[in-house]
Amino acid sequence: DWTEIITQNAVARGRSEQNNISKALASVNEMSKTGTADQQALAKELMDWLGSRSLVVTEALDTARGDNPDYFGIASLYGNNVIGEAMEAEPKLRTAVLPDYLKEAKDAEPIVVPNVSVLRSLIEYGIIKVGDVVTYTRDDGQTVTGPYKGK
C-alpha cells in the first residue's frame, strides 16, 4: 500500500534527519569554540536553526508513534519530497486518491533557511537533501524558493 510506504519513508527520513542534526550540533558546537569570528557567527545561526528544527522533527516523530499514530506532522515535514519520490517510482500515484493528510503534505511548507551560508552547511550535514523544497535569502537580499537539485 503506497500510503504506508510514503508514511514509512517520511518517518525514516525524520529519524535520519534527527541523527544528522545531532552530528551537526556536535560539529557546530566545536566550531563555535575554535572557529574564526565568521565561523562563530555562522555556528550561532546554525545552532539556533538546528535546535528549532530538532524540536519540530522530534514532535512529528513522537505523534507518529503509539496505538493511535498521527502522521500529519511527519508527512507535512517531508511530504513534498517523499510523495514526489513515490510518484516517480510509481507514475500511477499521480492520479491516485491519497488520504487527506498526504494531499495536504504534498503541498507542505518549504524548509525555511535564513541565508546561503546556513543552507550550504545544512546540505553538507545531510539535513537538506535533493528534492527538498527550500526558501532562503540570497546574498543580494532576494528570497528564493525551490527544490534543492544537488550541488
Side-chain angles (χ1 to χ4, degrees), residues 23 27 29 57 67-68 71 76 79 100 119 142:
K23 291 176 193 167
S27 174
N29 189 35
V57 174
D67 294 336
N68 190 15
Y71 295 114
S76 62
D100 286 345
L119 177 61
Q142 185 174 352

Side-chain angles (χ1 to χ4, degrees), residues 92-111:
K92 69 181 174 206
L93 269 182
R94 295 182 198 287
T95 56
V97 177
L98 295 173
D100 286 345
Y101 77 92
L102 285 179
K103 274 188 230 157
E104 291 175 37
K106 193 165 67 73
D107 303 317
E109 293 293 310
I111 300 169

